[in-house]
Amino acid sequence: MTNLPRDISHEKNLSEIILEVENLRVSIETIDKRVEVLRGVNLKLKRGEVTAIVGESGSGKTTLAQAIIGVLDTPPVFIESGQIFFDGIKIFPYNEKINFRGQGINMVFQEPLVSLNPVYTIRKQLEESIEVQGLHMKKKEIEEELSKILSDLMIRDVDRVLNSYPHQLSGGMRQRVAIAMAMIQRPKLLILDEPTTGLDLIVQRKIIQLLLKLKKEFGTTLLIITHDLAVAANMADRMYVMYAGKIVESGTKDQVIKDPLHPYSKMLRDSVPSGYKDSGPLRVTEGNPPDISHLPSGCAFHPRCPLAMEICRKEEPTKKVIEDREVLCWLYDGKQNT
Amino acid sequence: MMGNKILEVKDLEVKFPVRSKFLAPNEEKFKIVIEKVSFSITEGETFGVVGETGSGKSTIARTLVGINYPSAGEIYLMGRKINFNKKSDLIFLRRNVGIIFQDPVGSLNPKLRIFDIILEGLNFEEKYTKEEKRDKVYAVAKKVGLNESKLFSYPTELSGGEKQRVSLARAIISPKKILILDEPTSSLDVSIQAQILNLLQNLKEELNLTYIFITHDFNVIKYMCDRLGVLYYGRMLEISEVKDAYENPLHPYTKDLMNANITIEGNSGFESETELGEPVRNGCIYLNSCRFKMDICNRDPPMIELNSRLVKCWLYDKSQKEDYIKVKGSN
C-alpha cells in the first residue's frame, strides 16, 4: 500500500484513528426519485477498539458497512458525497491504485451461506484467501496455518471441516469459517455485519468470546453492525446509534447504554426486557420505524418521540457535542460545550 | 387465579418419516423429533418453552393444535382426552387453542385482504350473522391496536409488527382458552418487539388467556413467563419456575444456557466453556456436552422431582447424592 499525502485540514491524531468517514451520503435510485439512505454520516474508529453500530432494520447500518468497503450495488445505490479515510489514506472517492481490501479492511457478511462458494470445499476457499496475500507459502505451511486458525476458532475436528462443503456445516460453524477466512489475512480493520444473528445462544457466546480474543491477540480493530443491543453491550468500546440514515448518538458503551441522551437510544434500551414478569410493562411508544422514502419533516424520530417539541417537527436537529459525546437532538440545544 | 390444569401432555412422541430412496435395511425409517415429553399447564399461567434450533419447540406447538399428529402419548385439554383421529376432538382442540406462528409473512394469505384474514378465525362459528362478524372484526382490530384503515389492505402493505397484530387478531377473534405463541417476536425489531410483548401482557389479563410461549430469547422468556421448560433435541430436560431457573438452574444444560445468555448490562466477563457435542440417543441426551458426566449417564435418566421442580439428570438422583453435593459446591 502506498502512503498518499493526507488532506484533512483540521488537526487530529493521525495514528490513533484508523477509519474516518466524513459526511457520507448514499442514495438509491428508484423509478421516480432518489431516496437518501445515508444522510450525512460521520464515523471515527480508534485503532484497536471495538465499535458497534446499532439500529433497527432500514436504518442504513449495512449500507454504511458496504460503502466503507466499497461493495455497494452501483447502480442503483450511489455514494453522493463524502470522504472515507483508512489509515491516513483516502479510499473514497475510489482510487484504483490503492488496494485496501483484504489485509486492510475485511468484512464478514451477514449470511455466511451466501458469502461462501457452494461448489468448493472450505479448504480450497481458505487456501485461496492465503494465496491472494502473495506470500508464496509452501503447501505444508499453508496447512499449518489453516489448522492453527481453525483451532483458534475452537473448531475441534479441523479435518472434517476443511474437507466439507459449506452446506454440510451448521450455521455456527459456517460463521466461524467466514470469520476465519477474514482473519487469516490479518486485516487491520474487520467489519462484521450481524455476526451472531440467527445463531443459538451458546454458539453466539462462543463467537463473541472468539472475536474479543482475536482482537486482543492481533490488535484488529472491529466494527460490528448489529440490531441486538445485548451483543453491542458485551463487545463494544464505543457505540453509534443510527436512525433513518443518520447517527443520532455516539459515545462510549457505558454512556450510551447506561445514560443515553437521545430519546431513541433510551427507547431502544427500554425495549429490551431485562426483568422478571412483575417488572411492569416495557416503556416503548407506539409507531414504526419510518419509511425512508417518506421521511417526516424535521427530526425523523419526532412522530415516535415522547419528548417532541414544536421545533422538532419543523427543523432537523444539528449535531451537539456534550463533553466527549455527540447527539443529534433539539433537547440539548444550548447545552453543548463551547 | 391459578389452579386447574387446563392442558396436560403425557409422554408425547412425534416422529417424522425419513424419505429417502436409499434406505439401508437396518436404517431407521422414522426420525423421532419429540421424545416422551410430559408437562402440564395450569389455567392463567404463561409457560415458556426454550430450546435451540432443532430442539422441537415448533413441533410441540404444531402438535398441540393438531397440525402434526403425535405417534404416541396423550394430550388432555380441560380434562378431555384428544383423539387425533376424531374430527370432533380436533375441532374442540382448535376452538380452544390458538396459535401464532413465527413468520408473519408465511402465515397470512397474500391474496386476501386483512379483513378477510381476520374473518377466517370465525370460520368454525356458524351462529353469527354477517353484520355481527363485521363488528367483531372491527372490535378485535381495535383490541390488538391495528389501525382500521389497514383492514382493507393486503399483507404485503403491512409492516412486520402489524402483520403479527393481524395474526393475533385472527387467533383471538373467537374466544380461546390457550394461545400458543411460536417465536412471535423474533423477526421484529426490538422496539416493535416491546410493543407486541406489552400487547400480549394486556390481552392475557383482559381475555383470561393461558399462554404457551416458545422462544430462544432468554430475556423475553424471563420477562414473559411464570414457568419454563427446557427442551434439547426433543427431550424436556428441566421444568421449573422462571425465577428458580435463572437464579439456580439445575440441569447442566440449563446452567450452560444461563451462562451463555448475554444481557444488556454486559456480562460476558467470564468464559463459557461449553463445547456442544452430538446428542446421544440411548443415554442422557446431553452426555457429550456435559461437564458433570458420570458413568451412570450412559443410561437415560428419569424425570426427578426436586422441590416441586422437575429435572432429567442423574445428578439429582438420591443414590448419586455425593456427586450432587460436589456439584453444588462447585457452583
Side-chain angles (χ1 to χ4, degrees):
Chain A
M1 225 182 265
T2 45
N3 273 320
L4 294 180
R6 191 183 158 85
D7 58 349
I8 309 173
S9 49
H10 42 285
E11 283 183 333
K12 58 190 60 139
N13 191 343
L14 290 186
S15 63
E16 206 190 6
I17 283 161
I18 188 161
L19 183 89
E20 177 156 14
V21 177
E22 281 186 353
N23 199 23
L24 189 70
R25 289 179 175 274
V26 176
S27 55
I28 300 183
E29 192 132 291
T30 59
I31 296 172
D32 48 351
K33 61 174 178 179
R34 278 194 165 198
V35 178
E36 259 199 312
V37 191
L38 295 183
R39 305 183 295 145
V41 171
N42 292 295
L43 200 65
K44 261 186 221 171
L45 302 196
K46 277 191 192 152
R47 197 181 295 274
E49 268 193 357
V50 183
T51 308
I53 299 178
V54 294
E56 295 180 286
S57 45
S59 60
K61 311 179 297 272
T62 301
T63 312
L64 174 59
Q66 289 177 342
I68 291 171
I69 200 168
V71 292
L72 285 175
D73 284 331
T74 312
V77 190
F78 295 93
I79 299 186
E80 303 265 351
S81 64
Q83 289 179 314
I84 303 172
F85 299 93
F86 171 66
D87 229 359
I89 305 155
K90 193 190 257 182
I91 57 170
F92 182 83
Y94 297 123
N95 183 343
E96 293 295 321
K97 286 176 192 151
I98 303 173
N99 178 20
F100 63 90
R101 298 189 195 117
Q103 280 157 291
I105 308 179
N106 217 318
M107 180 159 171
V108 177
F109 293 91
Q110 185 170 1
E111 297 254 342
L113 193 57
V114 179
S115 53
L116 296 173
N117 191 333
V119 298
Y120 290 125
T121 57
I122 300 296
R123 181 191 304 274
K124 173 107 184 157
Q125 297 185 51
L126 284 176
E127 277 172 6
E128 201 182 352
S129 63
I130 293 182
E131 276 160 24
V132 294
Q133 298 177 42
L135 294 177
H136 304 294
M137 288 162 89
K138 284 194 190 107
K139 202 150 188 190
K140 208 177 158 194
E141 287 170 340
I142 291 179
E143 191 71 14
E144 275 170 17
E145 179 82 20
L146 286 186
S147 43
K148 189 187 170 294
I149 192 107
L150 287 186
S151 46
D152 271 352
L153 283 155
M154 289 181 272
I155 297 175
R156 279 171 306 171
D157 36 2
V158 174
D159 266 342
R160 180 184 72 89
V161 172
L162 281 176
N163 292 328
S164 346
Y165 290 89
H167 72 272
Q168 294 173 310
L169 301 175
S170 65
M173 207 60 107
R174 263 181 232 141
Q175 189 74 52
R176 290 188 218 188
V177 168
I179 293 173
M181 200 175 279
M183 285 308 299
I184 217 162
Q185 305 192 30
R186 305 266 186 277
K188 289 182 187 157
L189 168 65
L190 182 59
I191 304 175
L192 299 133
D193 191 2
E194 304 275 6
T196 62
T197 305
L199 299 181
D200 284 330
L201 211 55
I202 291 176
V203 180
Q204 164 173 298
R205 181 59 169 268
K206 285 247 124 81
I207 300 261
I208 290 178
Q209 275 170 14
L210 196 99
L211 286 170
L212 292 178
K213 197 180 135 208
L214 291 175
K215 172 209 138 191
K216 224 184 213 169
E217 218 162 282
F218 302 121
T220 314
T221 311
L222 299 179
L223 176 63
I224 292 150
I225 317 272
T226 182
H227 71 277
D228 190 340
L229 233 58
V231 171
N234 280 283
M235 292 189 73
D237 300 311
R238 268 191 99 68
M239 271 172 79
Y240 286 81
V241 182
M242 272 187 96
Y243 190 78
K246 280 195 169 182
I247 284 174
V248 294
E249 178 168 1
S250 68
T252 63
K253 173 192 77 181
D254 288 343
Q255 285 171 341
V256 175
I257 289 199
K258 293 200 179 117
D259 173 35
L261 293 177
H262 198 281
Y264 177 63
S265 325
K266 267 189 200 126
M267 194 180 89
L268 263 191
R269 185 200 59 186
D270 291 341
S271 301
V272 181
S274 59
Y276 289 109
K277 203 180 175 186
D278 44 23
S279 59
L282 298 166
R283 278 168 298 172
V284 61
T285 46
E286 293 295 314
N288 292 311
D291 177 359
I292 199 112
S293 57
H294 301 100
L295 281 181
S297 63
C299 170
F301 186 59
H302 87 254
R304 301 170 84 189
C305 183
L307 306 169
M309 301 176 290
E310 202 48 46
I311 193 169
C312 305
R313 294 184 183 90
K314 288 180 194 145
E315 277 178 69
E316 283 203 39
T318 46
K319 191 161 76 185
K320 317 281 183 314
V321 182
I322 297 170
E323 287 155 27
D324 56 338
R325 2 181 1 191
E326 291 175 3
V327 61
L328 205 66
C329 182
W330 282 119
L331 279 180
Y332 303 94
D333 198 26
K335 285 184 194 166
Q336 61 178 324
N337 14 330
T338 43
Chain B
M1 179 181 99
M2 303 245 169
N4 307 359
K5 269 184 195 167
I6 191 163
L7 180 83
E8 203 169 0
V9 176
K10 275 186 188 164
D11 292 333
L12 181 75
E13 186 188 273
V14 182
K15 54 185 180 184
F16 294 137
V18 180
R19 291 209 185 95
S20 164
K21 281 181 181 172
F22 307 108
L23 269 184
N26 55 351
E27 206 169 326
E28 283 183 53
K29 293 194 176 69
F30 289 97
K31 187 171 171 58
I32 296 179
V33 184
I34 300 294
E35 208 176 334
K36 295 215 163 144
V37 166
S38 309
F39 58 93
S40 63
I41 291 163
T42 44
E43 203 167 350
E45 76 169 340
T46 305
F47 182 75
V49 180
V50 284
E52 307 202 326
T53 323
S55 59
K57 309 186 294 285
S58 293
T59 308
I60 288 194
R62 293 163 67 90
T63 310
L64 288 179
V65 288
I67 298 175
N68 300 328
Y69 291 179
S71 52
E74 291 157 2
I75 293 175
Y76 296 88
L77 179 64
M78 296 187 283
R80 175 168 164 180
K81 189 181 169 187
I82 304 295
N83 180 352
F84 279 81
N85 295 321
K86 231 165 96 186
K87 206 180 169 193
S88 62
D89 276 10
L90 278 180
I91 290 177
F92 175 72
L93 187 72
R94 288 175 187 158
R95 268 214 173 138
N96 289 300
V97 184
I99 185 165
I100 290 171
F101 296 100
Q102 171 175 14
D103 175 18
V105 187
S107 56
L108 303 181
N109 188 337
K111 285 189 165 184
L112 294 184
R113 289 174 308 175
I114 299 305
F115 183 89
D116 298 312
I117 291 176
I118 298 178
L119 202 60
E120 280 187 318
L122 286 176
N123 274 358
F124 275 114
E125 313 282 345
E126 283 144 4
K127 59 186 175 202
Y128 298 117
T129 63
K130 217 174 167 185
E131 282 73 36
E132 279 173 334
K133 282 185 175 178
R134 193 194 60 206
D135 291 346
K136 273 186 166 286
V137 172
Y138 278 101
V140 80
K142 203 177 165 197
K143 217 177 257 173
V144 297
L146 192 69
N147 199 328
E148 267 181 31
S149 63
K150 302 276 181 190
L151 281 176
F152 295 95
S153 32
Y154 287 90
T156 46
E157 298 164 41
L158 266 55
S159 68
E162 284 165 343
K163 281 182 195 148
Q164 225 37 319
R165 283 174 203 263
V166 172
S167 303
L168 197 58
R170 179 177 56 184
I172 62 171
I173 189 166
S174 67
K176 292 276 171 11
K177 289 270 187 278
I178 301 178
L179 209 54
I180 300 173
L181 306 158
D182 185 3
E183 305 257 18
T185 59
S186 61
S187 61
L188 304 177
D189 278 320
V190 272
S191 66
I192 309 298
Q193 162 174 299
Q195 290 172 7
I196 299 283
L197 293 182
N198 282 343
L199 173 68
L200 287 171
Q201 298 274 41
N202 294 340
L203 283 178
K204 184 173 177 254
E205 297 222 330
E206 203 181 320
L207 304 171
N208 280 328
L209 290 165
T210 305
Y211 283 161
I212 300 179
F213 201 104
I214 295 173
T215 180
H216 66 273
D217 187 329
F218 274 67
N219 297 327
V220 172
I221 279 275
K222 183 177 170 187
Y223 178 66
M224 291 295 290
C225 299
D226 300 302
R227 287 191 309 142
L228 64 79
V230 182
L231 206 62
Y232 186 72
Y233 283 94
R235 290 187 198 169
M236 195 70 97
L237 298 185
E238 180 172 348
I239 297 178
S240 47
E241 301 267 324
V242 164
K243 233 173 197 155
D244 292 336
Y246 276 80
E247 276 153 24
N248 178 25
L250 292 180
H251 197 281
Y253 179 56
T254 322
K255 283 182 190 179
D256 289 342
L257 283 177
M258 295 303 166
N259 280 347
N261 186 27
I262 55 170
T263 65
I264 193 164
E265 276 91 40
N267 55 343
S268 65
F270 77 102
E271 301 236 326
S272 136
E273 278 161 15
T274 325
E275 265 302 330
L276 284 182
E278 288 292 304
V280 181
R281 278 285 159 203
N282 46 8
C284 170
I285 193 124
Y286 197 56
L287 174 63
N288 281 349
S289 321
C290 188
R291 285 174 289 162
F292 307 108
K293 59 184 157 201
M294 304 173 287
D295 288 342
I296 195 170
C297 294
N298 288 318
R299 276 168 43 210
D300 192 23
M303 249 333 187
I304 293 163
E305 202 177 330
L306 199 84
N307 309 330
S308 78
R309 303 168 68 179
L310 291 169
V311 57
K312 198 177 167 72
C313 182
W314 285 117
L315 285 176
Y316 303 98
D317 189 30
K318 292 259 159 56
S319 54
Q320 306 288 326
K321 213 166 176 190
E322 279 173 31
D323 291 283
Y324 173 55
I325 292 163
K326 199 178 81 197
V327 171
K328 269 201 111 177
S330 72
N331 195 19

